[in-house]
Amino acid sequence: MLLLIFTLIAVFCGISLFSMGLDVGKELQRKEDERQDKVIKEIRQKGYDVNY
C-alpha cells in the first residue's frame, strides 16, 4: 500500500514537471518569435526585401 502511494506521488510529480517544462518551452518560443519579428521589421524598414 505504501509503495502504491509513493508510486502515485512520483507519477503526479513527473507529469507536473513535464507540463511545466512544456509551458516554459512555449514561453521561450514565443519570446524568440517576437525577437525574430522585431529584427525582420527593422530590416524591412531599412528597405531590404525579406521573403520566407
Side-chain angles (χ1 to χ4, degrees):
M1 187 68 180
L2 195 60
L3 182 63
L4 178 64
I5 293 171
F6 282 132
T7 305
L8 289 175
I9 291 171
V11 168
F12 177 74
C13 289
I15 292 171
S16 298
L17 288 173
F18 181 73
S19 335
M20 287 191 310
L22 288 178
D23 290 343
V24 169
K26 287 178 184 177
E27 182 68 23
L28 289 174
Q29 184 64 45
R30 186 183 62 79
K31 286 183 180 180
E32 180 65 21
D33 290 345
E34 288 176 357
R35 188 182 68 78
Q36 287 179 0
D37 289 344
K38 182 180 174 185
V39 168
I40 289 171
K41 186 176 178 183
E42 289 174 1
I43 290 172
R44 286 185 176 150
Q45 286 176 348
K46 291 180 181 177
Y48 296 106
D49 187 22
V50 180
N51 293 318
Y52 71 91

